[in-house]
Amino acid sequence: MKVLLVDDSTTMRKIQKRTLAQMGVEDIFEAANGAAALKILEEQTDIELMLCDVNMPEMDGFETLDNVRKNAATAKLPVIMCTSVAEKDQVLRAIKAGANNYIVKPFKPDDLKEKIEATLAKVKGG
Amino acid sequence: MKSEYVIPFIDAAVDTFETMCDMTPKRCGDIVLEKGVFPTYDTIAILGMSGTVRGAVMLTMPTDVACKLVGGFVGEEIEEVNAELTDGLGELLNILAGAAIAKLTDLKIKISLPTVLIGKTPMLSGNQNSPWLIVPMSFDTGGKFVIKITMEEL
């Protein structure tokens, strides 16, 4: 399984990467902002899940999600938005705009694991 | 700045550090007001607040405490000042501030991206009209840190 992590914090990506590795995911791609993420999605057409931070420089999480949904090749890509509590209302709007799920920081690794499993199960279940 | 505005920042620090770093902080002294030029520990993380307020929130602590805190965050020992230390401390402040302002529902606050500064015995000064509220904290495993908040309602 291929997963794309999008977050401007290298430590946050490291934590997410460790959780994914514990879930048996080894094919992990990383981007520090939305623009870099879109480039990776163009090159890696078989990515199956994207975890995307909201507050990032250059291109934030909402703009990234908008671009992902507008592109036919990635329109159905499962996306989990990662956000601080302050942005919760915005993320609820983002879900209406096409995010499959969201996780609020601070979170424990098990919370992230559950959120990923729930999102993938929901997508597979249609 | 209303003194009750400080409580969400204390609660957010406890929640953030317990959840993400497996370290439990508690208050370890009276909350005091500081004006003018004041000392900090040698590691500082700070971010600005805008919107219906003008202000900032700061975490300051000795570098060895910062190493322990960020080490708990990333799950690896951090022994020296490096990019992981500064990135991790900035991210923790970002999470803490985001959680705190979500509880300040009367205010519409935007937070900036965090900045981390490390150096020996820095002194800091801010807006003279808006003093800093200083909250001394410590971890149950040892190590002190301080949350400093300044917030002027517009």
Side-chain angles (χ1 to χ4, degrees):
Chain A
M1 181 180 180
K2 285 187 175 181
V3 177
L4 173 59
L5 303 178
V6 192
D7 199 307
D8 57 321
S9 167
T10 52
T11 45
M12 186 51 74
R13 294 202 306 269
K14 193 169 186 175
I15 290 163
Q16 293 172 342
K17 208 171 164 180
R18 189 179 303 122
T19 301
L20 286 164
Q22 285 166 358
M23 295 172 72
V25 179
E26 289 175 353
D27 228 348
I28 299 166
F29 296 82
E30 298 181 50
N33 60 63
L38 295 178
K39 199 173 174 197
I40 290 173
L41 286 171
E42 268 178 34
E43 293 162 0
Q44 304 291 330
T45 54
D46 51 353
I47 284 177
E48 293 168 74
L49 174 69
M50 180 169 88
L51 298 182
C52 187
D53 186 27
V54 170
N55 191 19
M56 295 182 291
E58 289 191 53
M59 185 188 287
D60 69 17
F62 296 123
E63 196 181 342
T64 307
L65 177 64
D66 192 42
N67 277 285
V68 166
R69 289 292 174 252
K70 278 181 184 165
N71 183 338
T74 55
K76 290 186 178 174
L77 174 70
V79 176
I80 300 174
M81 302 297 281
C82 303
T83 181
S84 67
V85 178
E87 297 153 334
K88 194 171 174 178
D89 289 346
Q90 285 179 293
V91 170
L92 291 173
R93 284 206 299 273
I95 285 179
K96 284 181 188 167
N100 299 78
N101 214 332
Y102 73 93
I103 186 162
V104 177
K105 301 172 188 175
F107 56 76
K108 286 186 175 294
D110 282 351
D111 299 333
L112 179 62
K113 192 177 166 219
E114 280 173 23
K115 201 66 84 166
I116 292 169
E117 287 170 347
T119 305
L120 292 176
K122 200 174 165 187
V123 170
K124 282 175 188 166
Chain B
M1 175 181 168
K2 292 176 188 165
S3 57
E4 63 260 32
Y5 288 166
V6 81
I7 303 299
F9 289 92
I10 298 170
D11 292 346
V14 172
D15 189 29
T16 300
F17 296 159
E18 279 185 343
T19 305
M20 308 255 23
C21 310
D22 210 15
M23 288 174 70
T24 304
K26 61 178 188 300
R27 292 257 316 274
C28 72
D30 293 334
I31 298 172
V32 293
L33 274 176
E34 271 178 1
K35 269 186 169 182
V37 181
F38 53 84
T40 66
Y41 289 114
D42 54 6
T43 295
I44 299 167
I46 187 167
L47 59 73
M49 293 186 282
S50 59
T52 58
V53 302
R54 179 165 52 211
V57 55
M58 180 197 301
L59 275 177
T60 177
M61 63 193 76
T63 303
D64 65 316
V65 177
C67 287
K68 208 186 284 184
L69 182 68
V70 177
F73 184 38
V74 296
E76 287 172 11
E77 204 166 314
I78 294 180
E79 294 177 337
E80 57 181 9
V81 174
N82 57 25
E84 195 151 76
L85 176 69
T86 55
D87 180 273
L89 194 62
E91 180 65 11
L92 286 170
L93 177 62
N94 188 45
I95 295 169
L96 185 164
I101 65 169
K103 290 177 184 166
L104 296 170
T105 48
D106 295 348
L107 305 169
K108 293 282 178 200
I109 303 176
K110 287 182 181 175
I111 54 175
S112 70
L113 292 170
T115 298
V116 176
L117 309 161
I118 299 178
K120 286 194 189 302
T121 59
M123 301 288 286
L124 212 78
S125 73
N127 181 351
Q128 298 300 307
N129 298 321
S130 180
W132 291 78
L133 272 172
I134 312 299
V135 187
M137 307 276 292
S138 65
F139 290 108
D140 57 352
T141 50
K144 291 184 176 181
F145 71 97
V146 176
I147 306 170
K148 302 191 182 212
I149 306 141
T150 181
M151 200 190 285
E152 185 184 3
E153 287 183 65
L154 302 176

